[in-house]
Amino acid sequence: MTPQDYVQQKASASGSSFYYAFLFLPPPRRAAITAFYAFCREVDDVVDEVTDPGVAASKLAWWHNEVRQAFAGKPNHPVTQALMPWVAEFGIEEASLQSVIDGCEMDLTQTRYLDYPNLTRYCHLVAGVVGEVSAKIFGQTEATTTAYAHKLGQAFQLTNILRDVGEDALRGRIYLPVSELQLFDVKAHEILNRVDSDRFQALMQFQAARAHALYDEALALLPANDWKHQKPGLMMASIYRTLLREIEAQKFPVLKQRVALTPLRKLWLAWKMQALGRF
């Protein structure tokens, strides 16, 4: 299996909304974003799939070193071998990849976030930076597009957090800020035991409103000159925001089930943005 085959398989097997946006890119950009996405999946999977924190920490340390080696011209893993041919063309920096790993390392040591600014730091590393790198690969031409991409990445991450409340609880993690749990009188043990309530519903509505605001802020930041170039990100925004609305419409059943869009619906939303320029 070639490195290119490996990253393609990694990306398509994930079933992620991101994959559907990649389908409409020209081959060089599609190859670059597929390799970058596969890198993000590899390091994220370390945290989600390795049960021993010590082993997970060692694996992430290996990835830190692998990125250093790759940018020194000696990539060993299929993911970095597939990605490195594109770093110069699309301005992908070593520091960005290291930041993504730093964000995943936070999951090994932190299962609670005191307040929203604290959570924002985590979102910056695992999503905002990813948005910035993706925008460059998609064809960013305006410097101000970076702020759009960063905020859109954070909106995606908040949507993920809302969707995964129940699954994260099974791992002992609560990403919802402690100060906001207190504001709505929701106890940590209620979330860990996946107990729904009117208070939990109100907390979720608050979180969803914040995510919607981030989508609106992100779209307002996108320069008109880059709208066409950033269509893949806008496709993902359409898919993710539709998912957020679906979670709201189902009255936040996230403690007990994972809300998802069908592959056909994701493809339709992506095509509608690509062909018609509409959400």
Side-chain angles (χ1 to χ4, degrees):
M1 182 184 292
T2 67
Q4 291 72 29
D5 290 337
Y6 181 92
V7 296
Q8 177 66 31
Q9 188 177 87
K10 187 78 176 178
S12 59
S14 72
S16 169
S17 303
F18 289 76
Y19 179 69
Y20 295 88
F22 304 165
L23 298 174
F24 297 90
L25 284 166
R29 297 188 191 279
R30 186 166 69 243
I33 194 65
T34 300
F36 175 61
Y37 176 74
F39 164 79
C40 295
R41 281 259 47 92
E42 287 284 351
V43 296
D44 189 59
D45 285 349
V46 170
V47 175
D48 287 342
E49 297 177 2
V50 179
T51 55
D52 185 319
V55 174
S58 295
K59 284 181 176 288
L60 291 180
W62 184 91
W63 274 108
H64 275 302
N65 185 62
E66 171 63 10
V67 169
R68 285 191 291 270
Q69 293 279 80
F71 277 84
K74 300 176 182 178
N76 294 299
H77 195 280
V79 162
T80 45
Q81 289 171 353
L83 180 60
M84 293 315 294
W86 305 108
V87 296
E89 182 172 350
F90 298 118
I92 303 169
E93 299 176 358
E94 178 185 348
S96 298
L97 302 191
Q98 298 289 11
S99 291
V100 174
I101 303 171
D102 288 342
C104 290
E105 283 178 326
M106 289 180 69
D107 278 328
L108 300 181
T109 59
Q110 192 165 349
T111 58
R112 303 287 190 280
Y113 291 85
L114 183 62
D115 51 27
Y116 182 61
N118 200 262
L119 178 64
T120 299
R121 167 65 179 164
Y122 171 76
C123 292
H124 160 72
L125 293 171
V126 300
V129 171
V130 173
E132 292 174 15
V133 174
S134 299
K136 290 179 181 179
I137 295 173
F138 295 154
Q140 175 177 348
T141 63
E142 301 279 347
T144 48
T145 297
T146 299
Y148 143 82
H150 188 275
K151 196 167 287 285
L152 189 62
Q154 290 188 305
F156 292 162
Q157 189 61 27
L158 288 188
T159 303
N160 282 339
I161 287 171
L162 274 168
R163 179 196 64 195
D164 297 340
V165 170
E167 291 181 9
D168 290 330
L170 292 174
R171 297 187 177 104
R173 298 182 197 156
I174 301 175
Y175 289 98
L176 306 172
V178 172
S179 62
E180 294 170 9
L181 265 66
Q182 293 172 340
L183 180 65
F184 289 91
D185 194 29
V186 174
K187 311 301 182 188
H189 70 81
E190 292 177 317
I191 291 178
L192 294 175
N193 292 314
R194 301 193 294 168
V195 177
D196 200 354
S197 66
D198 291 342
R199 292 170 287 110
F200 177 78
Q201 290 291 316
L203 172 63
M204 289 297 96
Q205 289 166 1
F206 178 82
Q207 303 297 325
R210 172 187 282 146
H212 279 303
L214 280 173
Y215 284 111
D216 290 338
E217 291 166 19
L219 294 173
L221 287 168
L222 178 59
N225 289 345
D226 262 353
W227 177 273
K228 181 180 178 181
H229 299 104
Q230 296 302 314
K231 270 192 176 180
L234 295 170
M235 290 179 205
M236 291 185 284
S238 178
I239 293 169
Y240 263 77
R241 201 163 192 184
T242 299
L243 173 63
L244 178 61
R245 289 178 177 134
E246 187 69 25
I247 293 170
E248 290 177 290
Q250 294 186 29
K251 300 189 185 303
F252 306 100
V254 293
L255 286 170
K256 299 291 178 66
Q257 70 181 71
R258 180 188 179 97
V259 179
L261 305 180
T262 65
L264 184 60
R265 192 172 179 191
K266 291 178 183 179
L267 188 60
W268 160 248
L269 291 166
W271 178 85
K272 189 165 67 168
M273 173 52 66
Q274 171 66 18
L276 308 177
R278 292 207 314 262
F279 284 99

